[in-house]
Amino acid sequence: MQIRFDNKVVLLTGGGGGIGRASALAFASAGAKVAVTDRDVAAGEETTAQVKALGAEALFIAADVMQAAQVQAMVAQVVAHFGRLDCAFNNAGIEEEHMRLADCEEATFDRIMGVNVKGVWLCMKYQIAQMLAQGGGAIVNTASVAGLVGAPKMSAYSASKHAVIGLTKSAAVEYGRKGIRVNAVCPGVIRTVMLERAVQADPKVAATVAGAHPIGRIGEPDEVAAAVLWLSSDASSFVTGLAHTVDGGLTSI
């Protein structure tokens, strides 16, 4: 089955690279009109340029998902430009800790929860309001396998991703009868900037995490993007409240 998004409008946060960029390009290739957002203007504009190079309509919006006014304005700008909002991929997120819980600084905890939890909550708040007004839509949030199991030396990150899954399931129940589906993707270790930072800190990490996945390798951003597109499409029309793993079997161990 070929998944298409012709004449559909898609909003992605954290679109400046990695899973966000791969998803933006995948949506564009499937016919969508794509709004890319990121705090990193240069990275976001580069993704937008790549989307346009595929022949798709695209818009870049610089936004901090922790700021309610910016998120509200972001959604309003998408609707003003494209006329509606059919799908949203809330992908913006950070991880800044590789330490035991008692060693994590309060400021680090607050920053992780601010972006990963408050950011997703704010995005859904304003996206859902628009989708209610127009009669439906689909939302996908980026959680993590760390939202399904414990993650040593990443307690705040793990807590934030458990919270994303809780927000996802609650919203799915609340708005299912209003034509709004809400799901989450839970990636394993994916070849992104986050992984690059971890490898720079400890070169042994790459081989260790690759071997931890039963499939025997690290995942690619395109593989997560494929799941995001399916969850956003009519092909998954009876799917909501799902925390969908894309983890090479990691959580099956």
Side-chain angles (χ1 to χ4, degrees):
M1 176 185 294
Q2 185 180 24
I3 294 175
R4 298 292 302 173
F5 289 86
D6 300 299
N7 299 315
K8 295 289 184 70
V9 177
V10 179
L11 166 64
L12 303 96
T13 70
I19 293 169
R21 177 172 291 174
S23 298
L25 297 176
F27 274 116
S29 296
K33 301 173 183 179
V34 182
V36 176
T37 71
D38 206 293
R39 286 191 303 179
D40 186 331
V41 174
E45 289 181 338
E46 173 58 28
T47 297
T48 306
Q50 291 184 28
V51 168
K52 289 180 177 179
L54 293 174
E57 292 186 51
L59 171 70
F60 173 66
I61 303 169
D64 181 346
V65 296
M66 288 194 295
Q67 303 301 319
Q70 291 187 36
V71 175
Q72 185 176 21
M74 173 186 77
V75 173
Q77 190 172 342
V78 171
V79 176
H81 187 86
F82 291 116
R84 59 186 293 110
L85 174 62
D86 298 293
C87 307
F89 178 34
N90 298 317
N91 175 65
I94 59 171
E95 54 81 24
E96 297 184 353
E97 53 172 344
H98 289 281
M99 63 194 79
R100 295 183 186 277
L101 185 149
D103 298 322
C104 181
E105 296 292 335
E106 183 178 2
T108 299
F109 180 88
D110 288 345
R111 193 160 50 245
I112 290 171
M113 299 300 284
V115 176
N116 295 2
V117 183
K118 182 182 178 182
V120 169
W121 175 74
L122 282 172
C123 286
M124 285 203 295
K125 175 180 173 66
Y126 293 108
Q127 292 158 0
I128 288 170
Q130 171 60 30
M131 290 176 179
L132 285 171
Q134 68 189 32
I139 296 173
V140 179
N141 300 317
T142 297
S144 169
V145 293
L148 298 169
V149 298
K153 295 188 178 181
M154 298 181 72
S155 58
Y157 179 80
S158 181
S160 75
K161 294 303 185 177
H162 275 75
V164 169
I165 293 173
L167 288 171
T168 298
K169 289 180 178 291
S170 295
V173 173
E174 290 175 356
Y175 296 102
R177 285 183 170 82
K178 299 294 186 181
I180 301 172
R181 296 185 302 106
V182 188
N183 294 289
V185 285
C186 299
V189 179
I190 307 298
R191 200 178 306 279
T192 65
V193 172
M194 287 185 183
L195 176 62
E196 290 175 5
R197 284 198 297 265
V199 171
Q200 287 174 358
D202 183 357
K204 297 177 182 177
V205 166
T208 301
V209 296
H213 296 71
I215 208 166
R217 62 176 176 83
I218 292 166
E220 300 295 336
D222 289 346
E223 294 175 302
V224 182
V228 172
L229 262 66
W230 180 72
L231 288 170
S232 302
S233 75
D234 291 340
S236 63
S237 57
F238 198 56
V239 178
T240 194
L242 177 66
H244 180 46
T245 57
V246 189
D247 69 349
L250 183 61
T251 53
S252 298
I253 298 174

